[in-house]
Amino acid sequence: MEDPFVWHNGQHFELIMKDRYGKICGEEGGGIHAYSKDGIDWHLSKAVKAYSKTIRWNDGTVSHQANFERPFLLFENGRPTHLFAATGDGTESYQFERTWNMVIPLKV
């Protein structure tokens, strides 16, 4: 696991984090979601997979990112509205053709 993003939702802590080898969420480099009352003892959410490296673009095309790094969330009125990540496309992890920062609007 790496690249944790932690926040407090007013009742407990939550986090999203990169599952480097896919041992928890089932996708190498995909993201997990977990929660904690005290920020020390963490529990995986029932829907553990928080995000995927597979992206569906506005035009309906689908691509698989080589990496999805340092995820973080934008909050509006206490709710996450956008997921940000450093990413890149390429043939496999860490084999980039180009890199950029991605912003993904979240469904509410």
Side-chain angles (χ1 to χ4, degrees), residues 36-107:
S36 172
K37 286 285 186 189
D38 59 11
I40 297 170
D41 185 28
W42 290 90
H43 307 278
L44 295 173
S45 299
K46 288 182 184 178
V48 69
K49 192 170 191 178
Y51 59 85
S52 173
K53 295 190 317 181
T54 301
I55 304 299
R56 180 176 306 277
W57 299 93
N58 288 341
D59 65 3
T61 60
V62 175
S63 66
H64 188 74
Q65 303 308 111
N67 281 58
F68 211 75
E69 304 286 336
R70 297 180 303 281
F72 65 96
L73 297 169
L74 171 67
F75 288 82
E76 294 178 8
N77 300 318
R79 298 187 59 84
T81 60
H82 295 79
L83 172 65
F84 291 73
T87 190
D89 54 7
T91 56
E92 59 186 88
S93 293
Y94 304 103
Q95 302 300 313
F96 300 108
E97 293 175 17
R98 62 189 176 121
T99 60
W100 69 92
N101 288 313
M102 182 180 286
V103 180
I104 302 172
L106 302 176
K107 294 180 182 178

